[in-house]
Structure formats: C-alpha cells, structure tokens
Amino acid sequence: MRYDVESGITFHPFNFNGCNSMTSDPQYLHNPDADASEVMWRSVEGEFPNGSDPLSGGAPRYWVPIPSAELREASSVADMGIWYAIGEAWSQIAIRVSKVDKPRILDIGCGSGKMARFFAMIPGATYLGIDIFKPAIEWSQAAFKPLPNFAFTHFDIHSPLYNGSGKLDVTTARVPAPTASFDLIICGSLFTHLLEPAFKHYLGEVARCLSNQGRAVVSTHNEPQKGKRFSGKETRIDISDAYMLKLAQSHGLRLVEKVGTVFSQEVFVFERMKPHRPRWWRVLRKHP
C-alpha cells in the first residue's frame, strides 16, 4: 500500500474480480480536523458549487450528468475515474445478488448518485436515495428528474461535518422509507462512519425496510484497535467481522455472502431471517 500526499489517494490492492485499483483515503477526505485547504469541498466559501462537471453534458432524457468535483469529494472522491469505478463496482454487486428482476432500491447515503446512475440502466427498477448532505440531494433531484422512477430525499440528521443544522438524532431517527418495501438496500460507506449506538440503530432500520425477498449490501472497515471489537471516530469506524455478524443477527439479518474487500472496505450481503416456527405449527399447517 502507498499513500500519495499530493492527491490524497491510497494505492492498494482491490480484490474484486481479481483487479487492482485505487481508492480515496477516508481519513484524509473525511477528517474534520484536517486543514480545510487540503479538502476541496470543505474549503468552499459562500454558496456551495452545486453544479455538474465542466466535461458533463448531453441529452438529459437519456444521460445523467456528472456532479462537480466538490460534490464528488464531499461523499466519496473528487477523481472522476475512481468515483465512477466505485459506483460501477457497487452497482454490479447489488444487481448480481438481487433476487428480483425489477428491484425496488433504497440507497442510504446515496451522495450525488454515484450508484444511482448505474441502476438507471435496469428496466423497471425503482430507486430512493437518501443522504444528510443537502447539496448532493438537490443536485441529484435535478439531474435525475427525467427519470420518473428515481427519487432523492434529504435526511435531516445532525452531523457536525455534513449537516450542522440537522434536527434529527442519528441514534433514533427513522429512515424516511416504508417498512418491508425494498428488494435491494445499499449501504456503501455508511457504517464506516457510525458510532456504536447509531450503528446498531441503522442495522435495525435496514432490517425494517427490507422486504422478505430483499438483499442488503453493507460495507465496513474490519481492523478495530487491538483487544477491541469496535473502535474509531466518525471519520472512520472499524468493527470485527464476528461482532458485525452478531449485531446483524440480533436485528434479524442473516449473512448470505461475504463479498470481500472492495475499494478498501469489507462488503457483506444480508437478507431477513425466516421466522422460526415450532414443529407443531408446521404439522398443523400440513394437516389442517
């Protein structure tokens, strides 16, 4: 692994499909103590440049524009190639594990549509993206407006870094989505920034929103401090795999697959556990 000081990029192996790639260093991009001059989106003064990349263009009916570098960096990485590659990798995983052909998709922490643009290629898919960073939601609402099955909602959670005026508590706020109504739930780089009480709460919300045939794709960092199973600050959270699976199970989620390391994060696929029925109930159902 090699860290490039100028670009803020960590070069390291990426084992999805046996390829090598690059990813942003989340401690560099999301460190609230960092010099603002080192983090482009935080150095913006006045109105946030909530626009598209200068290279972006085309017919909106058929093509989604690309957000500005400031927007890309605020929720991921400014580099357009890496930003695009991460979105493609995540969407491919989600589409592969989906059990339905026309999934109802919930993207928690959607940013500026990094994955949504790929889901738009699925005929009949519906999509709801939620995020606490309002500029990203406002841009996405405008960019995806020609796609009637795609919606974006601002989740007004308080965050010192992303939503200082937010009114909702991250440990108790209900995700603005209906219960048991999504076939795919995406949590890319969400749990990597949640302290333990919020971490547990969001696992419960994922379980609540997931349909009986649904799948949830979730990422974590899995290198907690020695002797701990959960450690870190909101800039980076690490949890052991064993504790992650224990918490998921406590919320009624069953591990379907551990995908492996994808752009420096461990990716898991979960589904809802089937309710346990006593033996007498099964016999009664078979012979009423």
Side-chain angles (χ1 to χ4, degrees):
M1 184 176 348
R2 178 173 64 81
Y3 178 69
D4 184 85
V5 176
E6 288 189 16
S7 65
I9 301 296
T10 301
F11 297 80
H12 65 87
F14 162 49
N15 70 3
F16 180 61
N17 288 342
C19 300
N20 289 329
S21 189
M22 303 175 292
T23 186
S24 60
D25 181 347
Q27 291 187 346
Y28 173 84
L29 291 175
H30 301 293
N31 181 3
D33 301 320
D35 184 344
S37 64
E38 296 178 357
V39 184
M40 179 180 13
W41 77 271
R42 294 187 64 231
S43 65
V44 173
E45 296 182 1
E47 187 175 352
F48 193 86
N50 196 4
S52 300
D53 192 273
L55 297 177
S56 183
R61 229 181 115 190
Y62 302 102
W63 191 81
V64 179
I66 297 170
S68 65
E70 291 87 354
L71 274 171
R72 296 195 302 268
E73 186 186 63
S75 58
S76 182
V77 57
D79 182 275
M80 189 186 300
I82 302 172
W83 181 86
Y84 208 88
I86 295 172
E88 182 182 25
W90 267 87
S91 59
Q92 284 193 36
I93 294 169
I95 292 168
R96 179 177 63 81
V97 302
S98 175
K99 297 173 70 176
V100 298
D101 294 330
K102 299 177 181 179
R104 299 164 296 174
I105 303 166
L106 173 63
D107 189 354
I108 306 177
C110 63
S112 48
K114 180 173 61 183
M115 293 173 230
R117 64 192 310 111
F118 293 98
F119 294 133
M121 301 176 187
I122 308 174
T126 59
Y127 173 96
L128 174 62
I130 64 174
D131 204 287
I132 66 174
F133 190 54
K134 195 170 185 178
I137 290 296
E138 291 175 339
W139 182 88
S140 298
Q141 287 171 339
F144 287 82
K145 188 175 181 179
L147 303 176
N149 291 341
F150 280 62
F152 294 84
T153 298
H154 180 232
F155 194 17
D156 199 24
I157 292 288
H158 175 76
S159 165
L161 186 58
Y162 290 104
N163 193 26
S165 62
K167 299 178 176 59
L168 302 176
D169 185 344
V170 68
T171 63
T172 59
R174 188 181 177 95
V175 169
T179 297
S181 60
F182 292 94
D183 308 307
L184 271 177
I185 297 182
I186 314 299
C187 300
S189 198
L190 170 69
F191 288 94
T192 55
H193 300 289
L194 296 176
L195 297 177
E196 196 162 358
F199 195 107
K200 294 177 180 178
H201 173 66
Y202 268 77
L203 274 175
E205 284 296 277
V206 169
R208 178 183 68 81
C209 294
L210 202 60
S211 70
N212 288 331
Q213 59 183 350
R215 294 278 175 83
V217 187
V218 176
S219 70
T220 66
H221 290 300
N222 64 349
E223 298 177 349
Q225 294 177 7
K226 188 175 181 180
K228 294 185 177 181
R229 57 186 185 178
F230 192 104
S231 66
K233 300 186 297 182
E234 289 175 317
T235 50
R236 171 170 171 145
I237 294 296
D238 282 83
I239 181 173
S240 70
D241 287 353
Y243 190 40
M244 174 63 184
L245 297 181
K246 181 179 179 180
L247 289 180
Q249 185 175 15
S250 71
H251 288 285
L253 295 171
R254 182 184 75 85
L255 179 67
V256 174
E257 177 185 354
K258 183 179 179 185
V259 176
T261 306
V262 179
F263 284 98
S264 82
Q265 298 185 16
E266 299 304 306
V267 176
F268 302 85
V269 180
F270 293 103
E271 65 182 13
R272 293 180 68 177
M273 293 179 182
K274 294 180 180 179
H276 174 71
R277 304 291 188 182
R279 185 174 179 276
W280 63 262
W281 186 91
R282 294 196 296 270
V283 172
L284 183 64
R285 186 180 181 188
K286 187 176 181 181
H287 304 286

